[in-house]
Amino acid sequence: MNWLSEFVDRHKKSIIITFVAVSLVGVLLFLLTPVNYNMMDYLPEDANSTKALNLMQKEFDQPLPNLNVMVENVSLTQALKIKEQIANSDYVKEVLWLDDTVNLQTPLQVQDTATVETYYKDGNALYMVSVEDGQERTAIASIRNAIGDCKVSGSAADQATSQDMAVSEAMKAIILIIPVTILILILVTESWIEPQFYLLNIGTPVLINLGANFFRGEISFVTLAAAPVLQIAVSLDYAIFLSHSFDKYKKQGLKPKAAMRLAMTESVSSIGASMLTTLFGFVALLFMNFKIGADMGISLVVGILISFISVMMFFPALLLCGNKLIEKTKHRRLTPTFQNIGKCISKIRIPIFCIILVLMVPAFLGQSHNSYFYGSSEKTIEGSEAWDIEQEFGVTNSAVLLVPKGDSAKETEMCDALNNLDHITSVTSYSTMVSNKIPTIYLDSSVVKQFYSDNYARIILSSDCAYEGDEAFAMVESVQETADKYYPDSWYLCGQSANMYDIKTCVQHDNTIVTIITIVSIYLILLIMTRNWLMPIFLILTIECSIWLNMCIPYFTGSSLSYLGYLIISTVQMGATIDYAILLTNTYLANRKTMQKKQAMIKALGDVFGSILISAATLSLSGFCLNWSSSNEVVKVLGGLICRGAILAILMVVLLLPTFLLIIDSLIPRTTFHFGKKKKEELQNVSE
């Protein structure tokens, strides 16, 4: 590290200017980076609904119906005119209404009531509209401008709302976390100006990382909302390690340059270990089939690497340049040293350990039986436009089924079978709208192309169940089974419920992969760091216990949990909080060389509790800011889990891990790999 510290000291002003300049470029690039608000785009290419959507766009050049538009108090004549106005609005590809399902020349009183009331009820008209992907906001604005007062719902409306709020909510979360972080840093540092250097050090890498997303083409709205806050929270540790070491050597009388050289040498191993465990925790997200995990994983991996480089170059340069100002603004420490916390914990260690072990059984079982939702929201907000539409028409859910063209009799028979399925309210196809007895050559091509391409027949299904949930997934399975009966392995189904069904299938498979990769990769890193194969097991088990406790709370409170949030928090909580266990363990082993095991643990708890508390408080409050500021249910749930998880992690590390380490104390030398005689002698001293 001498060469790096010499380089930083020699070029400190240039380093500061470079990092600030790159961060400003990052802001400009971020403003040019597209944000993807459609979670369905992150399904794997081999998912049936993805294939169906691609095939439908290729064969029919028509997107899936993704917007419901309700207009109140209109006659049939007015409703037909409004349909035409909607169809002529910008980025609207298709509009389905009652006249596409029944013959309006026949009195509505003798038509099928359920079918009629799907589109027209009590003088209110409900249109199923297809708008171009990525143009949801513009399309809805154009529709409102064309027809006046109306109410909208559906995935396109949700995406439009996300587009309006994602950037503002991300900024709101960051704005909330900044004063919270400043307050924490003022409490734990001894200078009024030093917290500002901390903020520069953690904020600059965030801006650079946001700009780096430009070179990936786009980022998801989940990544935009969560990744910057997570990067701030998990990278604060690095700056704390270096700053505390720098202060220690300055208090010993060393000049700033020498103190920084020793601080960088001493803290690089701790910072590197913290960075690697966090990094590989996030790497596990890259292996998700549901690509939104990889999208966030890439952003976090790059962000952590940038933060590591920043704390080893930019932060030392800031401290060296601002050292005189730091010394002039010194104040007494505002928080206790926590040196006696070890004695307090030691007195209650055994009963707490027993209580935790007893709690782990229901916690493990409870977290394995959670109720999940897989989309961006699990409920319709009362008083919203979507709520008003549901109150009038019930839930309106559309899907498109594609089957091979050619056998009109089979198609008609399948449509009849589909119409008899639970929750299916209408089936719109050539056979239901025209007749399979009328050859297509006798009809205008504009009519035929709505239902037939060169290779496929398009069948539009309407249902009265929510986009996701047991009823929706059962309906999807029924449609799939019916289609497979008539067209084995040659059908394609897309729609909101079909997409949710594929997301469910995809992320449940991802759960096992992500968990295994996270645990194995972190275990291997800890194995290399500690040269011991036993200790990493208990370090990981400690954090896993905090994850089980965190995940079981929704089960026992009867609330649903975002499955995507569950997957991400499993990785984030492990990667971000394993540092606490590493810090306590390393400090305990260092003390153990000169102390009995109980005294070594008491001192270790006193030495590290303050640092762990700072990190956990920052991570927890970051999660709280995400939860409080976001209207997106995935981000909101993720924030709540992070907030609770950081608190539970520190509790497990200071209450559960010490007992684990004391129990295996005599086994540590026997399970450690010995490299050389000197190392062997050091390890033997631990057991004496």
Side-chain angles (χ1 to χ4, degrees), residues 303-593:
I304 293 303
L305 289 173
I306 294 173
S307 292
F308 176 72
I309 295 171
S310 176
V311 83
M312 298 309 298
M313 295 185 69
F314 182 55
F315 193 47
L318 284 173
L319 293 179
L320 288 172
C321 285
N323 182 66
K324 292 182 179 179
L325 191 57
I326 291 173
E327 294 298 326
K328 289 180 180 179
T329 57
K330 283 283 188 179
H331 63 77
R332 66 180 182 84
R333 188 180 179 90
L334 302 178
T335 56
T337 60
F338 299 106
Q339 286 299 318
N340 294 323
I341 194 73
K343 294 180 181 179
C344 299
I345 293 174
S346 180
K347 293 177 182 178
I348 60 173
R349 176 172 54 84
I350 298 301
I352 291 295
F353 180 77
C354 294
I355 291 172
I356 292 174
L357 290 184
V358 171
L359 288 176
M360 281 307 107
V361 176
F364 178 79
L365 295 175
Q367 62 90 32
S368 64
H369 289 83
N370 272 316
S371 173
Y372 297 103
F373 63 94
Y374 300 87
S376 60
S377 181
E378 63 168 328
K379 58 188 176 182
T380 302
I381 301 174
E382 186 173 353
S384 66
E385 292 187 13
W387 174 270
D388 293 338
I389 293 175
E390 286 185 17
Q391 295 305 298
E392 184 63 33
F393 286 93
V395 177
T396 303
N397 190 355
S398 300
V400 171
L401 177 65
L402 301 178
V403 296
K405 174 186 175 183
D407 193 334
S408 58
K410 184 193 291 187
E411 179 188 329
T412 302
E413 187 178 347
M414 184 188 68
C415 288
D416 291 338
L418 290 170
N419 212 18
N420 290 325
L421 295 178
D422 291 341
H423 298 293
I424 298 296
T425 56
S426 70
V427 177
T428 305
S429 67
Y430 185 86
S431 63
T432 60
M433 284 303 300
V434 185
S435 173
N436 66 340
K437 297 179 182 179
I438 301 177
T440 57
I441 59 174
Y442 293 114
L443 296 175
D444 187 272
S445 61
S446 62
V447 176
V448 176
K449 72 178 184 180
Q450 295 181 45
F451 304 107
Y452 290 129
S453 68
D454 292 337
N455 304 297
Y456 287 91
R458 185 173 74 139
I459 301 164
I460 301 173
L461 308 174
S462 296
S463 65
D464 61 2
C465 56
Y467 291 139
E468 62 176 299
D470 293 340
E471 287 185 349
F473 296 148
M475 183 269 292
V476 170
E477 290 175 350
S478 297
V479 172
Q480 291 176 341
E481 290 170 2
T482 303
D484 205 51
K485 177 182 176 182
Y486 292 92
Y487 298 91
D489 299 322
S490 57
W491 52 269
Y492 299 93
L493 178 67
C494 62
Q496 195 80 342
S497 292
N499 292 336
M500 289 298 113
Y501 184 84
D502 282 344
I503 290 177
K504 173 187 175 183
T505 304
C506 183
V507 296
Q508 286 180 338
H509 176 262
D510 286 339
N511 181 33
T512 303
I513 294 175
V514 170
T515 301
I516 291 174
I517 291 175
T518 302
I519 292 176
V520 170
S521 60
I522 290 180
Y523 176 83
L524 291 175
I525 293 170
L526 295 177
L527 177 67
I528 294 169
M529 288 169 46
T530 63
R531 299 186 177 90
N532 185 288
W533 63 263
L534 181 62
M535 283 192 298
I537 296 175
F538 288 93
L539 268 63
I540 291 173
L541 180 59
T542 299
I543 303 303
E544 278 294 321
C545 288
S546 71
I547 293 174
W548 296 339
L549 283 171
N550 193 10
M551 296 302 179
C552 78
I553 292 176
Y555 172 77
F556 289 111
T557 57
S559 57
S560 295
L561 187 62
S562 164
Y563 205 97
L564 182 59
Y566 163 65
L567 274 180
I568 293 174
I569 190 57
S570 297
T571 301
V572 170
Q573 191 171 336
M574 173 64 74
T577 61
I578 192 70
D579 303 347
Y580 311 162
I582 294 171
L583 183 59
L584 178 62
T585 302
N586 287 344
T587 307
Y588 168 71
L589 292 177
N591 293 341
R592 186 72 178 88
K593 294 176 182 178

Side-chain angles (χ1 to χ4, degrees), residues 46 60 68 86 173 183 186 314 322 417 476 517 527 551 556 569 593 601 622 642 673 677:
D46 59 354
F60 292 92
N68 300 316
I86 294 174
L183 178 61
I186 287 175
F314 182 55
V476 170
I517 291 175
L527 177 67
M551 296 302 179
F556 289 111
I569 190 57
K593 294 176 182 178
M601 182 56 70
S622 298
I642 292 171
F673 301 105
K677 182 178 178 181

